[in-house]
């Protein structure tokens, strides 16, 4: 069990609004000490991620260039959920990406 939150959020402001994520800054005050602090919170739009397993028991991944790493990375198929779209449909759409490939045999 996680411990109860020992602070209250006393204010919140937007630090950045982008295409795929926003950053908000929450002002907090600890309940017992009254000490004040800030928390930066990354808020991302809804997305679906799939952890597929093929008929041989292999995990299926995608290999895609990722700008933050400045190189190709391996991850599970994932993508945004369009407005009004069922998350299961978004997940199925991600499985149709040509880069999907089997990797990592079952241990």
């Amino acid at each position: 069990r996680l411990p109860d939150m020992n602070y209250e959020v006393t204010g919140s402001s937007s630090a950045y609004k982008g295409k795929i994520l926003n950053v908000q800054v929450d002002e907090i005050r600890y309940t017992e000490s009254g000490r004040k602090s800030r928390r930066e919170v990354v808020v991302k739009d809804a997305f679906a991620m799939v952890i597929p397993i093929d008929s041989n028991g292999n995990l299926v991944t995608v290999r895609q260039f990722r700008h933050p790493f400045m190189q190709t990375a391996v991850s599970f198929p994932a993508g945004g959920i369009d407005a009004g779209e069922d998350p299961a449909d978004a997940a199925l759409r991600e499985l149709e990406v040509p880069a999907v490939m089997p990797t990592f045999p079952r241990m």
Side-chain angles (χ1 to χ4, degrees):
R1 170 168 144 59
L2 295 174
D4 292 331
M5 190 169 83
N6 63 347
Y7 59 86
E8 65 176 319
V9 177
T10 58
S12 185
S13 63
S14 176
Y16 172 79
K17 288 191 178 212
K19 181 180 174 184
I20 63 168
L21 63 87
N22 299 322
V23 178
Q24 73 184 41
V25 178
D26 289 346
E27 303 289 333
I28 66 168
R29 187 178 70 224
Y30 287 95
T31 309
E32 290 183 22
S33 69
R35 186 173 64 88
K36 295 179 180 180
S37 189
R38 290 185 177 165
R39 295 289 180 264
E40 294 85 14
V41 181
V42 175
V43 181
K44 196 163 169 23
D45 289 338
F47 68 95
M49 178 179 279
V50 184
I51 304 176
I53 301 173
D54 71 12
S55 61
N56 294 320
N58 298 313
L59 293 176
V60 178
T61 60
V62 292
R63 190 177 301 266
Q64 296 175 318
F65 179 81
R66 295 295 185 196
H67 178 77
F69 307 128
M70 299 307 283
Q71 65 183 10
T72 300
V74 174
S75 63
F76 293 114
I81 300 173
D82 296 331
E85 183 179 29
D86 185 291
D89 292 336
L92 288 173
R93 182 184 68 239
E94 290 305 314
L95 290 176
E96 296 171 356
V97 174
V100 173
M101 53 189 265
T103 58
F104 309 120
R106 188 186 317 182
M107 299 296 205

